Amino acid sequence: MKPIFSITNSVAHSSARTGILHTDHGDVSTPCFIPVGTYGAVKTQSSEEIAELPSRILLSNTYHLYLRPGIEILTNAGGLHKFMNWDGTILTDSGGFQIFSLEGFRKVTEDGVTFRSHLDGSEHHFTPEKIVDIQRIIGSDFMMMLDVCPPGDADRKTWVNALKTTTNWAKRCMKQYKDTEPIYGYQQILIPIVQGGTDIELRKRSAAELCELEADAYAIGGLAVGEPKTDMLETVECMDAFLPKDKPRYLMGVGTPEDLVNSVSMGVDMFDCVLPTRNARNGQLFTFTGKINIRNSKYKTDFSPIDNNGFSYMSETYTKAYLHHLFKTEEILGYRIATQHNLRFYISLMNTIQKEIRKGSFTPWAKSFISHYIN
Amino acid sequence: MKPIFSITNSVAHSSARTGILHTDHGDVSTPCFIPVGTYGAVKTQSSEEIAELPSRILLSNTYHLYLRPGIEILTNAGGLHKFMNWDGTILTDSGGFQIFSLEGFRKVTEDGVTFRSHLDGSEHHFTPEKIVDIQRIIGSDFMMMLDVCPPGDADRKTWVNALKTTTNWAKRCMKQYKDTEPIYGYQQILIPIVQGGTDIELRKRSAAELCELEADAYAIGGLAVGEPKTDMLETVECMDAFLPKDKPRYLMGVGTPEDLVNSVSMGVDMFDCVLPTRNARNGQLFTFTGKINIRNSKYKTDFSPIDNNGFSYMSETYTKAYLHHLFKTEEILGYRIATQHNLRFYISLMNTIQKEIRKGSFTPWAKSFISHYIN
């Protein structure tokens, strides 16, 4: 098996590094941000528009795809790439986080987790093995293991139990992964998820147990789930020492532009988050100096371009006043423009980070960015 | 003033003809279908996508634009073309139809119509002069006169009164049009609207009165408002004799693919309708052999392209099964794909009609189309 990750640059007195993820659907430069397409579509965007982004990777969700369109359709389609007409890299989350966020019935045993669909209340059972099997059918380039993800305000006992089950499930996931072959002829990488809440000792234990599996990449899960921001960043920081240096680290569900810059300096290589897409649909636009909300009445008569930084055609073509109008009239085009802008901002931010790392100026740049960025 | 319309081909034993509308924003081949962008955006589509359609004309609505974004914004923007970043032709409906469709308070006097906004209940007063003034600010290439538009089941007395007021208002619109200049330097054409319900004698009277104004184009209004389909077509048919042959005829708010083919044979040159865009958002797709609804469960496992006729990139790229999935998951991308498909179908239909007229085979083609088209 060819190596899936190569580190290209690192930074003195920082854990920041650039690298390349090698997958059978192309290379992805890191640190990278992965747009979220839960149901096999990045909300409001076409696959062609996502393909035009400078970074050709997207995320989808095993739990959601399992419910809709379902495994039979994905099997008949020949996997998610063909189904959604996307030939870039796909990472699928297992859906563990979603299942543990569901309200109402859910039962965890050593075997797996039983839950009710949020759509029709039907009962389903996921095991570590089944999650691997489903992702084989989806055909994602990066598959996530099934984990137990407690809320941010859980007590230590809950974290300990979640960690224990997560490790056991990870072993079973890895066995199933090794016992099965990709269906569509291209390589799939299975990623374990470190748990342990914001308890450093537990994080160390979880990482150590998962490192024994010798996976090709490691994910940091169970953060950005309601815990204080400083606790989150302290936890990310400690992970750097607990995870192998030569393997990509993926911080799940994070975060704001500041979180990304801070986490890169702590050695994180991959991120995904709904912020740029979800907030776009509420009128929130990200810029290099902070967020704005285009619904604000001050934009009603602002005929300047949405953004002049050159990373989105739509941002340069349409004015703030027009976008304000589209939001006021609830035109779908408004959600499209804002989404395209935010995705391109996030990916442009990652490109800037990569460039600063290569130039050796990442640390002062990061300090300056964070001091100027208004949340 | 240069001629705005030239007839290029006509058909023996039929009133069908091809022609070209000449506007300062480009030529438009007729018979043409005009996509509806009520608030200065064709729902789900960007101006670039509309610009890629083979016919570069769209419709917007004076009443709606007057309420949002409002006249001040449109003035500051320098007109609708600039505001929405569209350099093709724009036709604006006056909004008469919309105002007469409003529930609740509305008062018509000889001076004009007083109504409450459907948005906030605020009271407004439109006069024929004001409607021209607003459209001068919008800067539409084709401006519609203010008319009185009764429902399809109105009695003859209502039609007579509507006709009378419409003629008086038309005279005042024309005077205001002649007394004012375009604001943005390009030509604007003012179009009167023939009323009279489905009463042939009243239609004749309305047309005769409006023809005295020597307008550059004529619209047939007050149809497709709930009257029986046969009455509608009989009315359209009679209009051919009542309107000047050398001027474009615009049938407002019509209609289905069959309506378009039938009306072309009766001498109509221009159409607009929300059907292709509105129905797209309900999953209804138009094809050359009839309508389908992509929500239907039989499309769940149909991995054939949405359409193979080559008129829409998205229709050829994505499968019916994927589009079905997007509708089931309420993904905006689904509405976009369906809208693009339907608009391109409608415009492809008009292109086919033009081609058949040029070839001299329109009449048998139309007969065959209608016999094969399943509603």
Side-chain angles (χ1 to χ4, degrees), chain B residues 145 170-178 190 213-215:
Chain B
M145 291 186 172
K171 288 176 187 165
R172 287 166 54 197
C173 277
M174 188 54 91
K175 183 173 186 311
Q176 184 72 2
Y177 174 66
K178 290 184 172 167
L190 182 67
L213 298 174
E214 295 188 344

Side-chain angles (χ1 to χ4, degrees), chain A residues 153-173:
Chain A
D153 59 356
D155 56 20
R156 198 169 187 275
K157 198 182 149 206
T158 307
W159 282 341
V160 170
N161 288 335
L163 187 166
K164 223 154 117 184
T165 307
T166 296
T167 297
N168 288 337
W169 287 0
K171 288 176 188 165
R172 286 167 55 195
C173 277

Side-chain angles (χ1 to χ4, degrees), chain A residues 219-269:
Chain A
I220 305 163
L223 291 177
V225 290
E227 76 283 0
K229 179 77 75 166
T230 47
D231 292 1
M232 181 191 99
L233 288 173
E234 277 171 31
T235 310
V236 173
E237 194 167 20
C238 78
M239 293 310 304
D240 186 31
F242 304 155
L243 292 172
K245 275 275 175 198
D246 59 341
K247 290 179 177 174
R249 292 94 172 260
Y250 164 32
L251 180 54
M252 303 181 77
V254 174
T256 67
E258 278 181 308
D259 292 339
L260 267 54
V261 172
N262 280 320
S263 302
V264 163
S265 74
M266 297 165 182
V268 175
D269 306 294

Side-chain angles (χ1 to χ4, degrees), chain A residues 63 67-68 115-124:
Chain A
Y63 162 76
L67 294 177
R68 294 189 302 200
F115 59 93
R116 285 195 200 282
S117 156
H118 70 284
L119 298 170
D120 61 6
S122 57
E123 199 172 298
H124 301 270

Side-chain angles (χ1 to χ4, degrees), chain B residues 46-317:
Chain B
S46 70
S47 296
E48 298 82 60
E49 283 161 338
I50 298 302
E52 283 166 10
L53 296 175
S55 179
R56 301 187 72 248
I57 181 169
L58 61 78
L59 176 148
S60 199
N61 191 285
T62 305
Y63 162 76
H64 286 99
L65 292 174
Y66 162 83
L67 294 178
R68 292 191 301 201
I71 295 313
E72 192 194 332
I73 304 291
L74 287 165
T75 303
N76 290 337
L80 182 60
H81 286 85
K82 282 193 184 166
F83 187 58
M84 67 181 293
N85 195 41
W86 166 252
D87 66 359
T89 300
I90 295 177
L91 181 151
T92 37
D93 193 0
S94 66
F97 173 74
Q98 282 70 30
I99 292 166
F100 286 94
S101 307
L102 290 174
E103 307 230 336
F105 175 76
R106 178 180 56 245
K107 196 174 171 214
V108 184
T109 63
E110 262 313 299
D111 180 61
V113 55
T114 307
F115 58 92
R116 285 195 199 282
S117 157
H118 71 284
L119 297 172
D120 60 6
S122 56
E123 198 171 299
H124 302 270
H125 184 64
F126 274 179
T127 63
E129 293 79 11
K130 188 169 175 181
I131 276 294
V132 171
D133 293 345
I134 297 171
Q135 289 176 100
R136 287 289 194 203
I137 289 166
I138 292 171
S140 39
D141 301 274
F142 294 108
M143 314 191 287
M144 300 307 297
M145 291 186 172
L146 187 64
D147 61 340
V148 178
C149 188
D153 59 357
D155 57 19
R156 197 169 187 275
K157 197 180 150 206
T158 307
W159 282 341
V160 170
N161 288 335
L163 187 167
K164 224 154 116 182
T165 307
T166 297
T167 297
N168 288 337
W169 286 0
K171 288 176 187 165
R172 287 166 54 197
C173 277
M174 188 54 91
K175 183 173 186 311
Q176 184 72 2
Y177 174 66
K178 290 184 172 167
D179 288 349
T180 55
E181 289 289 328
I183 298 171
Y184 311 113
Y186 51 81
Q187 179 174 266
Q188 295 181 280
I189 301 301
L190 182 67
I191 309 182
I193 303 168
V194 178
Q195 287 290 345
T198 53
D199 186 301
I200 306 302
E201 194 213 311
L202 293 182
R203 284 281 167 181
K204 189 175 180 177
R205 190 193 306 173
S206 177
E209 288 174 2
L210 296 176
C211 281
E212 285 177 24
L213 298 174
E214 295 188 344
D216 293 296
Y218 284 89
I220 306 163
L223 291 177
V225 290
E227 76 285 358
K229 178 77 75 166
T230 48
D231 292 2
M232 181 190 100
L233 288 173
E234 277 171 30
T235 310
V236 174
E237 194 167 20
C238 78
M239 294 310 303
D240 186 31
F242 303 155
L243 291 173
K245 274 277 175 198
D246 60 340
K247 290 179 177 173
R249 292 94 170 259
Y250 164 31
L251 179 55
M252 303 181 78
V254 174
T256 67
E258 278 181 307
D259 292 339
L260 267 55
V261 172
N262 279 319
S263 303
V264 164
S265 72
M266 297 164 182
V268 175
D269 305 294
M270 300 161 70
F271 302 89
D272 81 283
C273 192
V274 294
L275 264 190
T277 40
R278 180 177 293 165
N279 290 20
R281 299 194 302 284
N282 296 322
Q284 192 177 85
L285 302 180
F286 291 93
T287 80
F288 272 98
T289 50
K291 293 175 298 191
I292 67 166
N293 196 307
I294 202 69
R295 291 174 182 273
N296 191 306
S297 62
K298 73 176 170 184
Y299 297 115
K300 204 171 167 176
T301 51
D302 186 339
F303 295 99
S304 65
I306 296 164
D307 192 281
N308 264 327
N309 280 294
F311 45 81
S312 159
Y313 174 77
M314 280 182 157
S315 304
E316 288 198 309
T317 304

